[in-house]
Every structure is written in structure tokens, then in C-alpha cells.
Amino acid sequence: MMKQMPYRIEEGAIERAKYRAKMAVREAANPTPAPTHRHYALRWVFSTLTIAATLALALFFYIDSQKMDFEAFVAEMHQAPLDVVNDMTADVIYYAEEENQL
Amino acid sequence: MQREQSANVATDLREGGVGCFDLLIEQYGDRLYWHLRRIVVQHEEAEDLLQDTFVRAYLLREQFRGDTESSLKAWLYKIATSLALKALQRRKRNIFASIDSVRGDLIATYEHESDPSADETLVRLQRAILALPTKQRLVFNMRYYDELPFEQISEITGDSVSTLKTNYHYATKRIKEQITTIEL
């Protein structure tokens, strides 16, 4: 017969503690295998390759979008009305023909 | 029959079956929980130490040399006590302080951990026990609450039976004095 203990304790707390102890023993009996050096090396290689591939894709899309913008501008210019073209070239300084002679 | 069954448990223990540890936890879990709780006072810490005790026992099962229930019990108590004392060592404020320096902390913790509906005499007894030096407290708890014979306590603590009897004698004397002082 166990003597009465004047400690605060929730109902079922000892049963829970015993259950956790059982689980802890099971974990100790079947430990998760620790990662080997090969595991770490593979993880590093995989991470590096993923980062490189992501950067390459980003660069490709960036260059492609720049090219598309320029092509669209040229196409727009071909179809633009004359006054728009004149406006855009208004700042161009024209020199007399003879001034262009050496 | 009980003795035979325990001897089988001891053999199974050495052979390392997890199922045998379930049995062991069922058989000794309550006792060891209270043993640990009386040393460290806090429930969470006692719960963690109970887990550590059985995990340690599992990992060291090859080293168990006994074949009776009492030797198995003493072995488990020894592991639990050693882990609990290490936990108390960690609570010390500095490395030079004695383990007895945590008594104040333990009594303060007990104020939060005591059962408000418990009998006042039992609470007073517990406070008096917590005020004892660690060695006397251990011996008193194992003798009074766990009702272990001095020979078994000797196996657990590594002290001689006569030293343990002296410790127990001083512990009871101090507890009586403490309780009488509080009553006055």
C-alpha cells in the first residue's frame, strides 16, 4: 500500500508518463539511422544543382523578355503614323549636306 | 511464483525484448515516478527522468547481472537515483556549491507543486523532508515511502548499511524537530 503523497498531480498523469516511457524505449530500440557522409554530400550536390537550374531558368526568361520587348517596339514603329515618328525624331539635329563633307 | 516470474523478467531483460520493458514499466513505473518526484519535486522533470531511467536501463541491459526481483528493483532505483541527483546538480547556482544548496529551491518549488486539498500534516512532513541534506533525504524517502530494506538501499546508494541507518536516524530526528518547531 503506497503512502499518500501531498503533491499536485493531474488525473492519469502517471499513466501518461509510463506510456511516454514505453515510447521512448521503443525509440531507443529502433533509432532513426544517422545520416552518413554520403547522405550529406548528395544533399549538397542536389541543393547546388537546384539553385543553378533555378538561376539559369530565371536568366533565360529575363533575356527572352528583353528580346520580345525590342521586337515589339520595332514592329510598332513600322506601323506607327508619320507624325508619331516625326515627334520621336524631333530632337535629331540635321546638318546641311556640305557640312557632312570632309 | 512471483519470484520465478521476476527471474524470467530478469533473463528477458538481458535478452533485450521491448515487450519486457513494457512489463517493467507497468510493474515499477508508479514507484519510480514517485521516487523521482520526491527528489526533484516537479512533475515534468520527474516524467522526463522516468523516461530517461527506462531508456538508460534498456541501453545498459547487457550490464545487468542480477536474477531476482530485488536486484532488478535495486538496479532500476540506482539508475533513477543517479539521474535525479545529476538533475539536482544542474540546478546548482555555481560549480563549487554543494548539492544541498538546492534545498531552498526545492522547498520553493514544492509550494507550487503541493496538493491544496492534502492533509496539512502531510504537507508539513514533506517540507521538513525537503529541508534535509540530500543524502538523508534519499535514505529517508527510500526507507519510509518505498519501504526498501537497508540492504537494498545500500545496493542503490553504495553506502554501508550502518551509514544508512545513521543517516535515517538523523533524518527522523531532524524531521521531528522541524515539525515541532513549526507547530510551536
Side-chain angles (χ1 to χ4, degrees):
Chain A
M1 179 67 190
M2 219 171 117
K3 290 192 174 72
Q4 210 188 330
M5 292 307 306
Y7 282 85
R8 191 195 297 266
I9 186 153
E10 274 177 37
E11 213 183 310
I14 300 182
E15 285 309 311
R16 280 197 295 276
K18 288 197 301 193
Y19 174 75
R20 280 180 196 149
K22 284 178 194 172
M23 290 302 112
V25 170
R26 273 174 173 67
E27 214 176 291
N30 303 298
T32 325
T36 57
H37 289 295
R38 201 163 159 256
H39 265 102
Y40 283 122
L42 278 173
R43 252 186 237 176
W44 271 100
V45 169
F46 184 73
S47 309
T48 314
L49 284 178
T50 312
I51 292 168
T54 313
L55 285 174
L57 263 174
L59 194 69
F60 169 76
F61 281 117
Y62 175 73
I63 292 169
D64 197 50
S65 71
Q66 294 282 322
K67 212 167 115 189
M68 291 283 282
D69 285 352
F70 183 71
E71 277 166 7
F73 174 73
V74 171
E76 204 180 307
M77 281 300 107
H78 277 303
Q79 286 160 15
L82 207 59
D83 52 329
V84 174
V85 178
N86 286 340
D87 272 357
M88 288 181 78
T89 53
D91 294 338
V92 178
I93 302 164
Y94 290 100
Y95 296 97
E97 191 69 25
E98 56 274 19
E99 282 177 47
N100 288 333
Q101 298 293 320
L102 282 174
Chain B
M1 179 68 192
Q2 176 71 33
R3 196 178 169 84
E4 196 180 303
Q5 194 185 2
S6 300
N8 288 341
V9 168
T11 316
D12 287 350
L13 176 87
R14 277 201 297 267
E15 285 166 9
V18 174
C20 154
F21 269 80
D22 284 353
L23 204 73
L24 215 61
I25 293 168
E26 278 309 319
Q27 201 171 340
Y28 296 107
D30 291 55
R31 280 168 155 271
L32 286 173
Y33 167 82
W34 282 115
H35 173 62
L36 291 164
R37 181 90 191 258
R38 283 189 289 265
I39 301 176
V40 297
V41 180
Q42 250 181 346
H43 164 73
E44 289 76 15
E45 201 166 2
E47 189 177 339
D48 289 348
L49 289 169
L50 185 73
Q51 276 185 31
D52 293 348
T53 301
F54 284 108
V55 169
R56 182 72 63 94
Y58 180 80
L59 298 174
L60 298 176
R61 65 194 185 280
E62 298 291 332
Q63 291 174 22
F64 177 63
R65 293 281 169 263
D67 56 1
T68 58
E69 186 191 4
S70 72
S71 60
L72 181 61
K73 192 159 119 185
W75 186 63
L76 288 172
Y77 264 84
K78 194 173 182 171
I79 296 172
T81 310
S82 139
L83 288 172
L85 290 178
K86 274 185 195 152
L88 288 188
Q89 291 275 6
R90 284 195 294 271
R91 283 202 211 172
K92 287 189 318 188
R93 291 213 167 81
N94 64 66
I95 51 164
F96 302 110
S98 129
I99 195 168
D100 292 330
S101 64
V102 299
R103 278 184 284 179
D105 280 354
L106 291 176
I107 294 169
T109 312
Y110 181 66
E111 298 309 318
H112 303 286
E113 296 280 330
S114 65
D115 180 4
S117 62
D119 187 271
E120 184 54 33
T121 319
L122 292 177
V123 174
R124 244 185 289 160
L125 171 65
Q126 210 47 231
R127 279 194 202 115
I129 295 170
L130 288 171
L132 290 172
T134 311
K135 202 151 205 175
Q136 288 180 18
R137 188 158 67 95
L138 275 179
V139 178
F140 183 84
N141 280 340
M142 285 194 269
R143 182 79 192 116
Y144 179 74
Y145 287 109
D146 296 312
E147 294 171 353
L148 299 179
F150 282 113
E151 289 72 22
Q152 209 164 34
I153 303 175
S154 163
E155 261 184 79
I156 298 163
T157 61
D159 293 317
S160 69
V161 171
S162 56
T163 309
L164 294 173
K165 282 182 178 168
T166 313
N167 275 321
Y168 186 72
H169 170 75
Y170 280 117
T172 44
K173 202 174 153 193
R174 276 193 191 208
I175 289 169
K176 275 181 199 160
E177 278 169 11
Q178 192 100 10
I179 290 178
T180 331
T181 318
I182 297 167
E183 275 176 354
L184 288 173

Coordinates of all heavy atoms in Angstrom, one line a residue, chain A residues 9 13 28-30 34 39 55 58-60 70 80 86 98:
Chain A
I9 N -1.1 16.6 -8.7 CA -0.9 15.7 -9.9 C -2.3 15.6 -10.6 O -3.3 15.3 -10.0 CB -0.3 14.4 -9.5 CG1 0.0 13.6 -10.8 CG2 -1.1 13.6 -8.6 CD1 1.2 12.6 -10.7
A13 N -1.9 11.3 -15.0 CA -0.6 11.9 -15.4 C 0.5 10.8 -15.3 O 1.4 10.7 -16.1 CB -0.2 13.0 -14.4
A28 N 14.4 4.1 -28.6 CA 15.8 3.7 -28.3 C 16.1 2.3 -28.9 O 17.3 2.1 -29.4 CB 16.1 3.6 -26.8
A29 N 15.1 1.5 -29.0 CA 15.3 0.2 -29.6 C 15.4 0.2 -31.1 O 16.1 -0.6 -31.7 CB 14.2 -0.8 -29.2
N30 N 14.7 1.2 -31.7 CA 14.8 1.3 -33.2 C 15.2 2.8 -33.5 O 14.3 3.5 -34.0 CB 13.4 1.0 -33.8 CG 12.9 -0.3 -33.5 OD1 13.6 -1.3 -33.8 ND2 11.8 -0.4 -32.8
A34 N 21.4 7.5 -38.4 CA 22.0 8.8 -38.6 C 22.5 9.0 -40.0 O 23.0 8.0 -40.6 CB 23.2 8.9 -37.6
H39 N 25.3 10.8 -47.5 CA 24.0 11.5 -47.5 C 24.2 13.0 -47.6 O 23.5 13.6 -48.3 CB 23.3 11.1 -46.2 CG 22.3 10.0 -46.2 ND1 22.7 8.8 -45.8 CD2 21.1 9.9 -46.7 CE1 21.6 8.0 -46.0 NE2 20.7 8.6 -46.5
L55 N 18.5 29.5 -61.3 CA 19.2 30.8 -61.8 C 19.2 30.8 -63.3 O 18.9 31.8 -63.9 CB 20.6 30.9 -61.2 CG 20.7 31.3 -59.7 CD1 22.1 31.2 -59.2 CD2 20.1 32.7 -59.5
A58 N 15.8 31.6 -64.7 CA 15.5 33.0 -64.5 C 16.2 33.9 -65.5 O 15.6 34.8 -66.1 CB 15.8 33.4 -63.0
L59 N 17.5 33.6 -65.7 CA 18.3 34.3 -66.7 C 17.7 34.2 -68.1 O 17.6 35.2 -68.9 CB 19.7 33.8 -66.6 CG 20.7 34.7 -67.3 CD1 20.9 36.0 -66.5 CD2 22.1 34.0 -67.4
F60 N 17.3 33.0 -68.5 CA 16.8 32.7 -69.8 C 15.5 33.5 -70.0 O 15.3 34.2 -71.0 CB 16.5 31.2 -70.0 CG 15.7 30.9 -71.2 CD1 16.3 30.9 -72.5 CD2 14.3 30.6 -71.1 CE1 15.5 30.6 -73.6 CE2 13.6 30.3 -72.2 CZ 14.2 30.3 -73.5
F70 N 12.0 44.5 -77.5 CA 12.6 45.2 -78.6 C 11.9 44.9 -79.9 O 11.6 45.8 -80.7 CB 14.1 44.9 -78.6 CG 14.8 45.6 -79.7 CD1 15.1 47.0 -79.5 CD2 15.3 45.1 -80.8 CE1 15.7 47.8 -80.4 CE2 15.9 45.8 -81.8 CZ 16.2 47.2 -81.6
A80 N 3.6 52.7 -87.1 CA 3.3 54.0 -86.5 C 3.0 55.1 -87.5 O 3.6 55.1 -88.6 CB 4.4 54.4 -85.6
N86 N 7.8 61.5 -86.5 CA 8.4 62.8 -86.5 C 8.6 63.3 -85.1 O 9.6 63.9 -84.8 CB 7.5 63.8 -87.3 CG 7.6 63.5 -88.8 OD1 8.6 62.8 -89.2 ND2 6.6 63.9 -89.6
E98 N 26.6 70.0 -97.1 CA 28.0 70.3 -97.2 C 28.8 70.2 -95.9 O 30.0 69.9 -95.9 CB 28.2 71.8 -97.8 CG 27.5 72.9 -97.0 CD 26.1 73.1 -97.4 OE1 25.5 72.2 -98.0 OE2 25.6 74.2 -97.1

